[in-house]
């Protein structure tokens, strides 16, 4: 069971958190089927009459259902595990034997996830205890103005395992660029790998890093080599050489050939991918995890970065940056992010109507009052804007177009750039203009279905484009200006789950279509892309992680209520650099502000059990 290298769920995020409300009717069925199958493999799962033991059945179903929530285990407190008998073993036996379930301390696991936690904890402590050559960074501390950033530099100089965390604009990439520049100066012929969980996150990491490395002070000191200027970024899957058979090229026996490995957006690391990654890190290597643990956890099992930040034995291996330079003092997006975090300690509970009203009143008083969404002209150095409009309890079908039209306003510049491209399609500058315009705005939602879900909103934005450009032609699903996103990894094409491209006329055959993927700088004929590729005017909030837009519209209707959390709304609004437009149902918005997500895990205890040599 623990021989699987990757759970295929990576290739279909639709099976994960963002549309669980539509799996609730199916989950009990597959859970019931697998629970019965597991119990029927052993007579211990049957009662004296040869029928399934009801208490065993319910316990197995609880364990399987926990996985759908991202939990690696369940508490065993108050649960009778005796009826499972031969199906469950303790953690000591599990080190040499395999069984469906493992009991470890107060937790009960599927063997796979117990094994992954055990393996990950072992690798973390291997790097924690690894002796590496310390680097004298005192001559370079002046490069970092903030004491927390200086602490991060000193930490990486002395440790193999490092975590640098912080909210938006706290200078994670800025700090990283200076750390990498110093390491490059100190270590001859240094080999560096930069990676992120998704293609979009890797591309944004590259752009931000190159921007930071262009600093005149670094160049004046001779810290930026030509190699560093050309440093590439890639997805973790490509870093590990993860192939079509879900096997990795690099592992414990064949570790990665690098001296420094940097992982951005580390909050997206799930238990399985984190384990594969750390097992491939060589002993001499410095590993640096960058991320914001307040964002959404991974779509699969585990909340690795959040767990690692809480492990007492790793306190010397983490630095949290706290001074935000992206959000100026009083900037609204920063204030809203702080407002969300402040609710973690508030007394407001979900489903208490009076407290929800109080919470929304507090938000309107402290952040922005509710009004109608308006078109917001974008310009450099503009002050933050947050708009809030509440959706009514019942929306007539005829009124939907009114809300769709408001949301499409953010795409007017994009539509205009497509019109310009069509007028002079041979001009390369017009292609760049379309790409830039598209990245200015994005609509984010929590769910796939409903009138304000992914599918309906994408259809509405597509219709708005055709109304703007009536002469635009469509062949099947394809048309100039169609933004698309891969929903799985295609190793033959070289595109990954989450990669986004835009459809243009084929450069050699204008009567056909070709899709350009900016994060890969790659053109692919539309006919070679899968029919399942998704239109991407609108993204789920989960899929938006690692991205950044000038203007973000966040849509939460009543159908999304079961999915909402502080982590979800925090992730959504921090995708925006300047403008956030909130089109939300009051109850859904109140829940997103007040409910924190916690995942059950035994990783912290496994790490804290170690005695550092």
């Amino acid at each position: 069971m623990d021989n699987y290298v990757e759970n295929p769920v990576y290739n279909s995020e639709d099976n994960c958190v963002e549309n669980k409300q539509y799996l609730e009717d199916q989950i009990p069925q597959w859970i019931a089927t697998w629970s019965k199958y597991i119990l029927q493999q052993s007579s211990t799962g049957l009662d004296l009459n040869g029928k399934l033991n009801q208490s065993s059945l319910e316990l197995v179903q609880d364990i399987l259902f926990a996985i759908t929530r991202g939990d690696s285990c369940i508490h065993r407190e108050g649960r009778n595990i005796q009826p499972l008998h031969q199906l469950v073993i303790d953690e000591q036996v599990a080190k040499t034997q395999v069984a469906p379930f493992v009991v470890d301390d107060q937790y009960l696991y599927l063997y796979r996830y117990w094994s992954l936690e055990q393996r990950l904890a072992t690798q973390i402590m291997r790097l924690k205890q690894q002796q590496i050559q310390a680097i004298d960074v005192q001559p370079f501390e002046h490069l970092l103005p903030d004491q927390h950033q200086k602490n991060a530099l000193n930490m990486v100089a002395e440790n193999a395992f490092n975590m640098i965390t912080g909210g938006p604009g706290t200078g994670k990439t800025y700090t990283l660029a200076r750390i990498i520049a110093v390491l490059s100066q100190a270590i001859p012929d240094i080999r560096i790998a930069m990676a992120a969980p998704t293609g979009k996150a890797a591309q944004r990491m590259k752009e931000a890093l190159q921007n930071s490395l262009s600093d005149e002070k670094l160049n004046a000191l001779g810290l930026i080599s030509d190699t560093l200027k050309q440093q590439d970024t890639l997805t973790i899957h490509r870093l590990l050489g993860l192939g079509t058979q879900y096997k990795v090229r690099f592992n414990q026996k064949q570790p990665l050939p690098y001296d420094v490995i940097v992982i951005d957006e580390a909050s997206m690391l799930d238990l399985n991918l984190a384990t594969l990654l750390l097992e491939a890190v060589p002993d001499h290597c410095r590993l640096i995890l960058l991320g914001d643990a307040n964002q959404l956890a991974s779509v699969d099992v585990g909340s690795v970065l959040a767990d690692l930040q809480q492990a007492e034995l790793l306190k010397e291996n983490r630095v949290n940056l706290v001074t935000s330079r992206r959000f100026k003092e009083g900037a609204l997006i920063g204030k809203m992010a702080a407002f969300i975090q402040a609710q973690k300690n508030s007394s407001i509970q979900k489903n208490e109507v009076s407290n929800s009203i109080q919470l929304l009143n507090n938000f309107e008083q402290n952040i922005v009052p509710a009004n109608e969404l308006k078109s917001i002209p974008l310009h450099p150095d503009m002050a933050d804007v947050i708009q809030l409009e509440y959706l009514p309890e019942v929306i007539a079908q005829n009124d939907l177009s009114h809300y769709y039209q408001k949301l499409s306003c953010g795409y007017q510049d994009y539509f205009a750039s497509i019109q310009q491209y069509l007028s002079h399609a041979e001009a390369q500058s017009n292609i760049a203009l379309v790409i830039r315009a598209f990245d200015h705005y994005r609509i984010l939602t929590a769910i796939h279905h409903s009138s304000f879900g992914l599918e309906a909103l994408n259809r509405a934005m597509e219709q708005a484009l055709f109304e703007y450009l009536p002469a635009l032609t469509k062949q099947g699903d394809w048309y100039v200006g169609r933004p698309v996103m891969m929903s799985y990894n295609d190793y033959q094409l070289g595109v990954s789950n989450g990669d986004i491209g835009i459809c243009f006329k084929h450069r050699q055959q204008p009567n056909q279509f070709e899709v350009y993927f900016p994060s890969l700088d790659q053109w692919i004929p539309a006919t070679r892309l899968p029919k399942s590729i998704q239109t991407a005017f609108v993204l789920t909030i989960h899929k938006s992680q690692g991205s950044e837009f000038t203007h973000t519209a966040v849509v939460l209707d009543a159908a999304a209520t079961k999915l909402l959390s502080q982590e979800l709304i925090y992730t959504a609004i921090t995708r925006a650099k300047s403008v956030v437009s909130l089109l939300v149902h009051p109850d859904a918005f109140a829940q997103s502000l007040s409910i924190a997500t916690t995942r059950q895990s035994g990783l912290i205890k496994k790490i804290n059990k170690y005695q550092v040599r």
Side-chain angles (χ1 to χ4, degrees):
M1 193 178 301
D2 62 332
N3 291 330
Y4 289 98
V5 225
E6 182 188 47
N7 188 332
V9 78
Y10 285 128
N11 290 340
S12 183
E13 196 168 333
D14 291 348
N15 292 330
C16 301
V17 179
E18 61 194 32
N19 70 334
K20 276 192 181 136
Q21 76 280 13
Y22 294 99
L23 292 177
E24 284 185 350
D25 292 336
Q26 302 171 35
I27 283 176
Q29 184 56 53
W30 75 258
I31 286 176
T33 301
W34 277 102
S35 299
K36 290 176 182 177
Y37 176 80
I38 292 169
L39 292 173
Q40 287 168 348
Q41 303 313 299
S42 171
S43 59
T44 60
L46 308 177
D47 60 22
L48 295 176
N49 298 317
K51 297 182 179 180
L52 289 175
N53 183 293
Q54 189 60 33
S55 62
S56 297
L57 184 63
E58 291 175 358
L59 185 56
V60 173
Q61 289 176 344
D62 284 349
I63 298 171
L64 295 180
F65 191 76
I67 295 168
T68 70
R69 299 190 302 265
D71 299 334
S72 62
C73 55
I74 62 173
H75 269 286
R76 62 172 292 197
E77 184 179 355
R79 300 175 187 269
N80 181 15
I81 65 172
Q82 290 303 316
L84 293 180
H85 196 47
Q86 296 174 353
L87 296 176
V88 62
I89 55 179
D90 66 34
E91 73 275 14
Q92 293 302 322
V93 177
K95 292 176 181 178
T96 56
Q97 296 182 26
V98 176
F101 307 105
V102 178
V103 59
D104 187 343
D105 199 12
Q106 74 265 42
Y107 302 118
L108 187 60
Y109 292 82
L110 274 178
Y111 181 89
R112 169 179 170 77
Y113 295 107
W114 174 87
S115 176
L116 284 171
E117 280 192 358
Q118 196 73 21
R119 288 162 56 192
L120 180 56
T122 299
Q123 295 307 315
I124 289 168
M125 295 313 298
R126 170 179 68 88
L127 293 176
K128 161 74 178 176
Q129 300 173 35
Q130 186 65 41
Q131 297 296 317
I132 60 172
Q133 182 179 357
I135 297 171
D136 181 13
V137 296
Q138 188 174 359
F140 304 103
E141 284 190 348
H142 68 281
L143 295 173
L144 294 160
D146 183 280
Q147 186 57 50
H148 296 284
Q149 295 172 343
K150 296 179 193 292
N151 293 344
L153 174 61
N154 282 283
M155 174 181 68
V156 175
E158 298 175 358
N159 294 279
F161 182 72
N162 307 273
M163 292 179 284
I164 302 174
T165 60
T170 52
K172 294 187 294 292
T173 306
Y174 174 91
T175 304
L176 173 68
R178 280 143 184 78
I179 290 173
I180 294 299
V182 172
L183 292 178
S184 299
Q185 178 83 353
I187 303 173
D189 302 317
I190 191 170
R191 299 165 300 171
I192 302 171
M194 304 268 189
T198 67
K200 184 65 178 178
Q203 175 64 17
R204 192 164 74 87
M205 179 189 190
K206 181 177 182 178
E207 293 168 356
L209 187 65
Q210 293 304 324
N211 183 56
S212 293
L213 288 173
S214 64
D215 188 288
E216 292 182 2
K217 184 183 292 186
L218 296 180
N219 282 285
L221 292 172
L223 295 177
I224 308 300
S225 64
D226 290 339
T227 302
L228 206 54
K229 290 177 181 177
Q230 298 168 12
Q231 177 68 47
D232 200 7
T233 57
L234 62 166
T235 64
I236 298 174
H237 286 72
R238 290 193 179 101
L239 175 70
L240 295 174
L242 191 63
T244 54
Q245 301 301 313
Y246 307 116
K247 293 184 181 297
V248 289
R249 176 185 174 191
F250 297 101
N251 48 42
Q252 283 180 283
K253 294 182 179 179
Q254 186 176 347
L256 289 159
Y258 298 105
D259 304 301
V260 178
I261 297 173
V262 181
I263 304 297
D264 198 11
E265 297 292 347
S267 64
M268 298 170 69
L269 282 173
D270 60 69
L271 190 55
N272 187 56
L273 190 58
T275 302
L276 295 179
L277 171 67
L278 267 74
E279 286 182 337
V281 176
D283 286 341
H284 67 274
C285 182
R286 286 173 167 85
L287 175 66
I288 305 173
L289 302 180
L290 272 72
D292 182 353
N294 291 318
Q295 288 188 27
L296 285 164
S298 63
V299 294
D300 206 352
V301 172
S303 51
V304 174
L305 183 64
D307 284 348
L308 297 184
Q309 285 196 118
Q310 298 175 57
E312 182 66 21
L313 281 182
L314 300 178
K315 62 182 181 181
E316 295 178 355
N317 301 85
R318 62 176 178 262
V319 170
N320 186 49
L321 307 179
V322 297
T323 306
S324 178
R325 290 166 177 80
R326 174 172 144 194
F327 300 126
K328 300 183 180 75
E329 186 175 352
L332 281 179
I333 299 175
K335 283 183 67 176
M336 183 173 175
F339 183 91
I340 295 167
Q341 294 307 308
Q343 305 316 307
K344 290 183 180 294
N345 299 317
S346 77
S347 59
I348 294 176
Q349 302 296 320
K350 70 174 180 178
N351 298 328
E352 293 188 14
V353 176
S354 61
N355 283 335
S356 293
I357 294 173
Q358 177 190 338
L359 177 58
L360 295 181
N361 287 339
N362 288 344
F363 181 86
E364 292 191 45
Q365 290 171 13
N366 289 282
I367 307 300
V368 65
N371 208 321
E372 289 196 11
L373 299 189
K374 298 179 181 179
S375 178
I376 304 292
L378 303 179
H379 55 83
D381 302 320
M382 65 184 295
D384 279 8
V385 176
I386 293 181
Q387 303 185 92
L388 170 64
E389 179 174 351
Y390 289 131
L391 290 167
E393 193 68 37
V394 178
I395 304 173
Q397 190 66 31
N398 292 339
D399 292 335
L400 280 175
S401 59
H402 170 67
Y403 291 108
Y404 294 158
Q405 190 276 330
K406 287 186 177 185
L407 291 169
S408 71
C409 286
Y411 276 125
Q412 295 306 298
D413 287 346
Y414 177 59
F415 296 166
S417 72
I418 295 170
Q419 185 175 43
Q420 183 171 335
Y421 161 80
L422 290 171
S423 300
H424 303 88
E426 70 283 355
Q428 186 66 32
S429 60
N430 286 332
I431 292 176
L433 178 67
V434 171
I435 294 166
R436 285 196 304 271
F438 181 63
D439 275 344
H440 280 322
Y441 178 67
R442 201 74 85 250
I443 302 169
L444 305 182
T445 184
I447 57 178
H448 282 253
H449 308 283
S450 89
S451 298
F452 291 98
L454 184 78
E455 295 175 6
L457 288 173
N458 268 315
R459 286 195 299 269
M461 295 308 107
E462 182 177 288
Q463 182 178 343
L465 172 60
F466 278 88
E467 289 174 357
Y468 188 95
L469 297 171
L472 194 63
T473 58
K474 189 175 184 181
Q475 296 178 18
D477 292 329
W478 292 102
Y479 51 88
V480 170
R482 181 193 180 194
V484 292
M485 181 182 64
M486 285 294 293
S487 58
Y488 68 91
N489 300 327
D490 190 314
Y491 299 100
Q492 290 185 331
L493 292 177
V495 288
S496 301
N497 183 11
D499 284 342
I500 290 178
I502 297 176
C503 181
F504 293 96
K505 291 181 180 180
H506 197 288
R507 290 166 296 169
Q508 283 76 44
Q509 303 171 45
N511 61 331
Q512 297 185 24
F513 295 120
E514 196 172 18
V515 177
Y516 179 64
F517 289 86
S519 65
L520 308 173
D521 191 21
Q522 183 175 350
W523 290 87
I524 299 177
T527 53
R528 293 194 63 198
L529 291 166
K531 290 185 179 296
S532 61
I533 199 165
Q534 301 171 354
T535 302
F537 288 106
V538 186
L539 302 178
T540 59
I541 297 170
H542 278 85
K543 287 285 191 180
S544 75
Q545 281 188 276
S547 300
E548 200 173 72
F549 315 103
T550 309
H551 181 182
T552 298
V554 183
V555 185
L556 305 175
D557 66 352
T561 303
K562 292 182 181 179
L563 288 181
L564 302 178
S565 67
Q566 292 168 344
E567 293 78 10
L568 195 82
I569 191 68
Y570 176 90
T571 299
I573 64 119
T574 55
R575 299 310 89 207
K577 292 185 283 189
S578 299
V579 182
V580 173
S581 296
L582 299 164
L583 183 61
V584 293
H585 185 279
D587 292 343
F589 189 46
Q591 171 144 328
S592 73
L593 293 172
S594 59
I595 304 304
T597 300
T598 56
R599 288 189 171 179
Q600 192 64 62
S601 163
L603 181 61
I604 299 172
K605 288 208 168 191
K606 286 182 174 63
I607 291 171
N608 286 337
K609 281 181 181 179
Y610 279 83
Q611 295 297 318
V612 181
R613 292 190 294 269

